[in-house]
Amino acid sequence: MGKDVPPDLLPGTLDLLILKTLLRGPMHGYGIAQHLKTVSEDVLQVGESSLYPALQRLLLSGCVKGEWGASENNRRARFYTLTAAGRKRLSAEREEFDRLILAIHKVLATS
Amino acid sequence: MRALFRRISYWFRARREAAALREEIEFHRSMTQAQMERDGFTPDEARFAARRQMGNVAIASEDASAVWIWPWLQSVRQDAAYALRSLWRQPGFTLVSLSVLGIAIGLNTGLFTVVAGAAFRPMSGLTDPSRVVTVSSVNVLGRGGLLGLSFPEYQSLTSAATSFEGLAAARPLSVRLEEGPVGRSISAYLVTANYFDVLGVRMELGRGFQPGEDRRGSAQAVAVLAYQVWKSRYGADPTIVGRQIRVNNIPFTVVGIASRQFVGPEGSPNRIWLPISMLPLLRPNDPFATTMLDRPQDCCVTVTGRLTPAATRDSARAEVQVLSTRFRSSVGMTEHSLAIGGTQFLSGRRGGGEALAILGVLSLGLTLVLLIACANVGNLLLARAAARVNEIGVRLSLGAGRARIVRQLLTEGFVLAIGASVVGLFLSMWLPPLVLSVVAGTARPFDISLDGWVLVYALAVAVLSCLAFALAPALHATKCDIATALKHDAAMLQSRFPLRSTLLAVQVAVSVVLLTSAALLLRGVAQARLLDPGFAMDGVAVATIDVPEESYDVARRRAFVTETTTELKRAGIVRFGFASNEPLGNETSMTGMRLQGESPAQARTVEFINVSPGYFDALSIPIVAGRDFIDADEGRSVVIVNQTMARRYWPGDTAVGQVFFGGGNRQLMQIVGVVADAHVASMEEIEPVLFLPPGDMSQRVPRLLFSTDEPSTSATIAAIVERVDGRARVDVTPLRDRFENWLGDLRLAPLVASAIGVFALGVAVVGMLGVFSYIVRQRTREIGIRMALGAGAGDVLRLVLASSSRAVLAGLAVGGLGGFAASQVLRSSLYGLSPLDPIAYGGVLLLLALAACLASYIPARRALRIDPVRALRYE
């Protein structure tokens, strides 16, 4: 069990998914993973070994910032919030992603 | 850029961040577990499953934090840790390298603090020192030295110049500060009232001078004391402000204490500041002092200014040049060119250029020492690298890049260099103040504390020396091909190793150069002791007579000398004489002279001394022709010359009776006597000297020289002088003491040179030791085989020594040539010693031979103890 995000997922896609998820509001790592799993109907099962490096990468590039708070079951957890830079990056990457998907689609549709 | 900043700040918080990450992942795990329990697993199953799903928390968090740290940075840390460990494992090697490099770097950094302090750092205790400048005139005669300006010229500049917020003038003057009945001499600076404001000197207590307090006829005479004077003479008594002190018998009111950092341009802590208008009052009988503030011809005051923010040094120079030319033409003087300089100790100072040159030569010497140290440590590293050929070979064969291994070896060198520069910094904190206190006493003419620049310099030296000593061995060690290294046939590698021999030769050569210089200088001092000064040194003493200067004018001085002479003769003392300059006092007065028939343009300057009748007798200087002065010569234009002068201008014993133009080329003078050559001024080469009758004996009471045949003479003379004037004080010094003092000063240079030379030799010995041990280690198998085949102890020793004898001999030869070249430069300090002095060269040769024996003894002993059987199995 616990299938990771497929390794052949397009690079940078996980970052995009995390940023999009955080658009809903501050969330901790587990919450993000759960959200991705639920919304994708169990297709995207993100493991910690890719989730947390991705989160650290986003922290480093300043797209998200982390703050400690209490989780729903009253435990200490780090909540990630989207920053202005993160929003900008999300919209830029979203466009880029859409273009890519469209391109792939066109290739597949052409016989 | 911001990402870089975040990375760095992460680096500092690494531990906390890692903990946070672990906590976060642990939280994630427990949430997963809870979820599974909700999904119907048993708690145990859930925990197990959650953990399995998670994998290793540690690996996950490491992966995550790896985002932050450059892999590069981490590998550097790894290298450094590895280097530290390997240095720790070889404490002998580490200790030797650290001390050798540390001392070398310390000496260099120490010299740098002195150069930085003397040449680059502005005067201490100033506010915003970069805008404080000196204005001086370029002295055309004095080889580009700088002079001050006349006071009227200063006044014309200060009223018109717009480049400065203020211009201040200062003139040093030696005064007497009365404390009860006795007065002590102290150096005063006579300054304009704005002096402290222009320089931006903070007051420790009270205030500086106020406008108008430097006006002549100002109601109140005020004074500012230096911090040290306040502390040492008045016990830091805060009530001193407002009290009166007496300077040259004039009451001054103390208004302030200058800040502790400010010690003025000479750095003498023993100083007071007085308004410049007080100059005529402090020296009422000095015609120069009474008029200099009004005469544009008189020299001079030191002018210091604070530039306005808008002005640059160039624009200020252009402005003062115009103003100066205008002023000088208005008083009928030719223009001179002005210069603007900083307040650095050496800037514009007479002899500043030479001082810099000396510092340059010194730093060259110390660079040589650093070179030796680097060569030596490089040699040791080379030996180590050879011992690690195996390890390096394995690593190369496992696919490590050569660059990676070179970097790792360099890191080891760098760690060593950093450690050495820490040692060096401690040394340079402690050494220059010590040297300076030996050379300059209590004065601190410039700041020699460590600052950022010194740290940067030390670091730069460390990095460069690291490259110098570690790069070559690192490249060399990794050059070997893998197969050879793995076969452990290190002898193959050793057979062609010119680098090592070159390093050895360099250090032998450098220490020979330094040691021969030191030996020659030492021999020069010994030679100087044997010098014949040309006058009797034993049984002659010089009396310095101190009288209250403000009450002594020319007439009074002459009367004092006449009266003292009469009294001495009445007391039965006959062998004595007065002279304007004492022997070995290193003071010379110069006057112009030309021969009859020469035009004024052909005039030359010669040394002169005013002497009274009896001077030559007291010093036992023989009169070789003519006669001594007699009392009746006073006021007549007669002279006595020394033999050098007689020979140069009137060859063939014809000098007596000749006339020439002396006394500034105007006066016809007749020679009445010729005396034997003597070092009456200094021990330097003897120049032509004119002896003149007493005349007005310059600006002070002349020195009294007398023969101390009777032990009681000194006391008698002191008593007689004090009877003539109760305020006079006599200080008697035997001439022998003066000579010894001079020798003592002379000894400083060879002592420093020997210290450096001995240090260099020590380094070279350690270097040779390294090389010989290396050879023994490399050729263990060969030695074993030879011994098994019947080689004796002598053969083995010869083997060890012979392997680098060529390098040592080459070093000796090159060093000998270098030493000879250095001796040509040192010629003037050798006092007649031949630059090829056999004792100096022989001594150095012997010393090096001994050193080489010592350096080969320890490894050779090891070689002799090699057990043939074990050596053959050494593989």
Side-chain angles (χ1 to χ4, degrees):
Chain A
M1 61 192 290
K3 233 175 61 205
D4 225 331
V5 172
D8 44 2
L9 190 66
L10 289 168
T13 318
L14 181 56
D15 290 11
L16 179 65
L17 294 178
I18 292 173
L19 289 175
K20 170 73 177 122
T21 309
L22 286 179
L23 209 50
R24 294 159 37 110
M27 223 179 259
H28 50 65
Y30 179 76
I32 295 169
Q34 285 301 311
H35 176 79
L36 290 177
K37 190 177 161 196
T38 322
V39 173
S40 69
E41 291 165 352
D42 285 0
V43 173
L44 296 174
Q45 298 205 17
V46 183
E48 329 54 56
S49 49
S50 38
L51 175 65
Y52 287 98
L55 280 170
Q56 295 280 318
R57 255 197 317 277
L58 290 172
L59 275 175
L60 172 60
S61 54
C63 291
V64 303
K65 62 182 202 287
E67 267 160 2
W68 289 89
S71 71
E72 46 276 28
N73 59 356
N74 267 330
R75 287 193 50 176
R76 238 166 72 87
R78 176 146 55 179
F79 285 85
Y80 294 90
T81 319
L82 207 55
T83 62
R87 271 169 219 282
K88 239 168 77 187
R89 170 137 168 231
L90 175 60
S91 63
E93 292 212 345
R94 174 115 197 219
E95 268 169 40
E96 185 66 18
F97 187 76
D98 286 345
R99 239 161 40 87
L100 196 64
I101 292 294
L102 200 68
I104 293 172
H105 221 79
K106 274 184 183 156
V107 172
L108 294 180
T110 317
S111 53
Chain B
M1 214 49 226
R2 295 188 41 162
L4 178 71
F5 175 74
R6 277 191 216 104
R7 265 185 219 275
I8 292 170
S9 73
Y10 179 89
W11 180 253
F12 282 109
R13 292 176 290 118
R15 196 178 293 247
R16 228 156 5 115
E17 288 291 338
L21 195 62
R22 268 200 305 279
E23 182 182 348
E24 205 174 5
I25 293 174
E26 177 56 31
F27 166 76
H28 193 121
R29 194 197 59 77
S30 70
M31 292 297 275
T32 314
Q33 185 183 336
Q35 178 64 44
M36 285 183 155
E37 281 174 33
R38 273 199 300 282
D39 290 349
F41 292 92
T42 66
D44 276 349
E45 276 174 337
R47 189 165 57 242
F48 182 67
R51 191 162 292 161
R52 205 175 45 193
Q53 184 185 354
M54 291 291 296
N56 191 328
V57 173
I59 288 179
S61 60
E62 240 167 58
D63 279 354
S65 59
V67 169
W68 292 88
I69 306 158
W70 296 292
W72 181 80
L73 204 59
Q74 202 150 26
S75 75
V76 165
R77 217 173 56 167
Q78 233 169 38
D79 281 357
Y82 184 80
L84 278 175
R85 263 204 312 275
S86 83
L87 290 176
W88 186 251
R89 270 203 308 266
Q90 285 177 300
F93 163 79
T94 309
L95 211 65
V96 164
S97 323
L98 271 189
S99 51
V100 161
L101 278 178
I103 292 176
I105 292 178
L107 290 174
N108 275 279
T109 314
L111 184 67
F112 179 80
T113 62
V114 171
V115 172
F120 301 114
R121 206 170 291 175
M123 204 191 292
S124 60
L126 311 186
T127 316
D128 195 4
S130 63
R131 280 164 54 214
V132 179
V133 295
T134 57
V135 182
S136 16
S137 62
V138 178
N139 180 9
V140 189
L141 297 173
R143 282 181 293 173
L146 296 179
L147 288 175
L149 308 178
S150 72
F151 193 70
E153 183 169 357
Y154 153 75
Q155 282 173 314
S156 84
L157 291 186
T158 194
S159 59
T162 57
S163 307
F164 303 93
E165 284 175 3
L167 276 168
R171 182 177 170 87
L173 183 74
S174 177
V175 295
R176 235 177 37 260
L177 181 59
E178 325 278 353
E179 286 169 348
V182 285
R184 288 241 200 98
S185 164
I186 186 171
S187 51
Y189 245 75
L190 303 187
V191 298
T192 50
N194 60 353
Y195 185 72
F196 294 110
D197 297 330
V198 166
L199 266 63
V201 174
R202 205 175 48 79
M203 286 292 145
E204 194 72 37
L205 208 64
R207 59 171 176 87
F209 296 129
Q210 280 174 350
E213 284 181 335
D214 60 350
R215 211 164 292 141
R216 265 174 272 185
S218 163
Q220 203 188 15
V222 290
V224 170
L225 302 181
Y227 184 87
Q228 279 301 326
V229 172
W230 176 53
K231 220 173 149 192
S232 63
R233 298 213 180 176
Y234 301 101
D237 177 7
T239 66
I240 186 76
V241 173
R243 258 204 279 160
Q244 272 194 350
I245 55 170
R246 295 184 78 79
V247 178
N248 284 10
N249 267 324
I250 300 171
F252 283 83
T253 307
V254 176
V255 293
I257 312 293
S259 94
R260 175 192 224 142
Q261 285 80 31
F262 183 67
V263 287
E266 258 80 49
S268 161
N270 195 16
R271 184 176 296 287
I272 69 175
W273 289 273
L274 306 171
I276 196 161
S277 53
M278 299 304 292
L279 178 62
L281 291 176
L282 289 166
R283 302 288 290 263
N285 295 309
D286 182 346
F288 178 79
T290 44
T291 57
M292 85 148 277
L293 293 183
D294 302 313
R295 283 168 51 89
Q297 296 83 0
D298 283 354
C299 176
C300 25
V301 289
T302 312
V303 179
T304 315
R306 179 174 287 273
L307 293 174
T308 59
T312 65
R313 287 190 183 187
D314 286 339
S315 71
R317 205 202 73 80
E319 187 191 19
V320 291
Q321 185 64 61
V322 170
L323 293 172
S324 156
T325 307
R326 194 181 302 156
F327 168 79
R328 286 176 75 95
S329 74
S330 77
V331 294
M333 294 169 72
T334 54
E335 65 176 286
H336 58 184
S337 83
L338 294 191
I340 298 256
T343 55
Q344 289 83 358
F345 177 68
L346 285 181
S347 110
R349 189 167 291 260
R350 203 179 337 154
E354 283 108 79
L356 265 185
I358 291 173
L359 287 175
V361 170
L362 241 164
S363 71
L364 208 67
L366 289 184
T367 311
L368 279 185
V369 171
L370 186 62
L371 202 70
I372 272 199
C374 286
N376 182 16
V377 173
N379 230 338
L380 283 175
L381 278 181
L382 211 54
R384 264 162 55 91
R388 282 162 60 178
V389 149
N390 236 22
E391 170 203 334
I392 292 167
V394 169
R395 294 176 61 177
L396 283 174
S397 69
L398 288 181
R402 184 178 178 203
R404 183 74 186 76
I405 291 181
V406 167
R407 205 185 81 198
Q408 192 222 312
L409 292 175
L410 270 185
T411 307
E412 279 190 44
F414 195 66
V415 166
L416 210 54
I418 291 290
S421 68
V422 169
V423 174
L425 276 177
F426 274 109
L427 194 66
S428 62
M429 240 165 13
W430 163 84
L431 196 61
L434 186 80
V435 172
L436 210 62
S437 69
V438 170
V439 175
T442 51
R444 279 289 166 279
F446 45 82
D447 188 12
I448 45 169
S449 54
L450 296 183
D451 64 1
W453 285 112
V454 176
L455 290 177
V456 166
Y457 178 82
L459 195 69
V461 169
V463 170
L464 286 179
S465 55
C466 158
L467 285 180
F469 71 72
L471 187 60
L475 289 178
H476 205 102
T478 50
K479 208 166 66 184
C480 67
D481 72 296
I482 298 164
T484 318
L486 285 182
K487 268 197 289 173
H488 200 294
D489 202 347
M492 287 276 289
L493 184 71
Q494 191 271 333
S495 59
R496 283 181 295 116
F497 228 3
L499 184 62
R500 186 173 41 78
S501 315
T502 314
L503 284 178
L504 183 63
V506 165
Q507 57 188 303
V508 169
V510 171
S511 52
V512 168
V513 172
L514 287 168
L515 283 171
T516 30
S517 306
L520 282 171
L521 284 173
L522 275 176
R523 291 270 302 148
V525 174
Q527 187 78 10
R529 178 177 287 281
L530 301 178
L531 283 182
D532 178 12
F535 55 82
M537 205 136 45
D538 297 304
V540 184
V542 54
T544 310
I545 302 167
D546 232 4
V547 292
E549 265 185 73
E550 67 279 2
S551 54
Y552 267 68
D553 54 11
V554 176
R556 180 79 188 80
R557 245 188 332 254
R558 193 173 300 172
F560 177 81
V561 171
T562 316
E563 211 174 318
T564 310
T565 309
T566 317
E567 288 294 319
L568 287 173
K569 282 189 176 150
R570 188 181 301 161
I573 298 168
V574 283
R575 297 189 67 192
F576 70 91
F578 284 95
S580 52
N581 299 331
E582 69 198 56
L584 301 181
N586 275 329
E587 295 174 309
T588 46
S589 313
M590 308 296 278
T591 184
M593 72 151 283
R594 66 188 156 97
L595 305 179
Q596 272 185 311
E598 284 181 336
S599 71
Q602 285 172 283
R604 57 191 76 71
T605 57
V606 291
E607 242 172 77
F608 79 93
I609 305 178
N610 292 101
V611 301
S612 74
Y615 168 85
F616 298 112
D617 183 36
L619 284 174
S620 307
I621 298 175
I623 295 168
V624 293
R627 60 167 176 87
D628 189 7
F629 289 129
I630 50 172
D631 290 340
D633 286 335
E634 182 65 59
R636 288 164 57 188
S637 295
V638 292
V639 299
I640 294 174
V641 299
N642 69 353
Q643 275 180 308
T644 301
M645 184 153 187
R647 266 197 299 270
R648 187 168 305 174
Y649 302 117
W650 301 280
D653 292 339
T654 56
V656 175
Q658 298 278 1
V659 289
F660 63 94
F661 290 96
N665 306 324
R666 290 180 300 272
Q667 219 170 343
L668 261 186
M669 296 185 145
Q670 187 175 33
I671 299 170
V672 294
V674 177
V675 293
D677 281 334
H679 290 273
V680 283
S682 73
M683 294 304 288
E684 313 285 309
E685 209 169 327
I686 292 181
E687 296 287 333
V689 182
L690 280 180
F691 295 93
L692 303 173
D696 64 0
M697 288 276 195
S698 74
Q699 296 288 320
R700 60 175 188 212
V701 170
R703 302 286 187 245
L704 173 60
L705 292 148
F706 58 94
S707 163
T708 51
D709 299 335
E710 301 283 325
S712 59
T713 318
S714 299
T716 316
I717 284 182
I720 288 171
V721 168
E722 273 162 29
R723 205 156 59 229
V724 173
D725 186 337
R727 295 167 300 173
R729 255 163 291 276
V730 182
D731 180 32
V732 175
T733 320
L735 275 189
R736 174 58 72 179
D737 285 8
R738 286 285 146 95
F739 186 67
E740 292 296 332
N741 274 349
W742 172 74
L743 277 180
D745 291 348
L746 219 59
R747 224 169 270 141
L748 194 66
L751 276 186
V752 170
S754 332
I756 296 177
V758 165
F759 166 67
L761 178 69
V763 173
V765 167
V766 172
M768 285 192 255
L769 190 72
V771 171
F772 290 137
S773 329
Y774 171 83
I775 291 161
V776 170
R777 185 182 290 180
Q778 283 305 307
R779 301 173 76 169
T780 299
R781 194 160 72 121
E782 182 191 340
I783 293 172
I785 294 173
R786 281 170 190 263
M787 283 171 74
L789 294 176
D795 301 315
V796 174
L797 266 182
R798 207 168 309 129
L799 178 76
V800 173
L801 283 174
S803 54
S804 35
S805 60
R806 207 181 308 163
V808 172
L809 285 178
L812 277 177
V814 172
L817 285 178
F820 179 70
S823 73
Q824 298 303 312
V825 179
L826 297 173
R827 198 183 268 275
S828 74
S829 307
L830 296 183
Y831 299 95
L833 186 79
S834 154
L836 281 173
D837 180 56
I839 296 184
Y841 282 88
V844 169
L845 212 66
L846 197 71
L847 202 63
L848 271 155
L850 275 175
C853 287
L854 183 77
S856 60
Y857 174 69
I858 301 168
R861 219 180 35 178
R862 196 186 306 153
L864 287 178
R865 280 205 304 252
I866 288 174
D867 175 1
V869 180
R870 264 186 55 201
L872 288 172
R873 281 219 208 107
Y874 191 58
E875 300 299 280

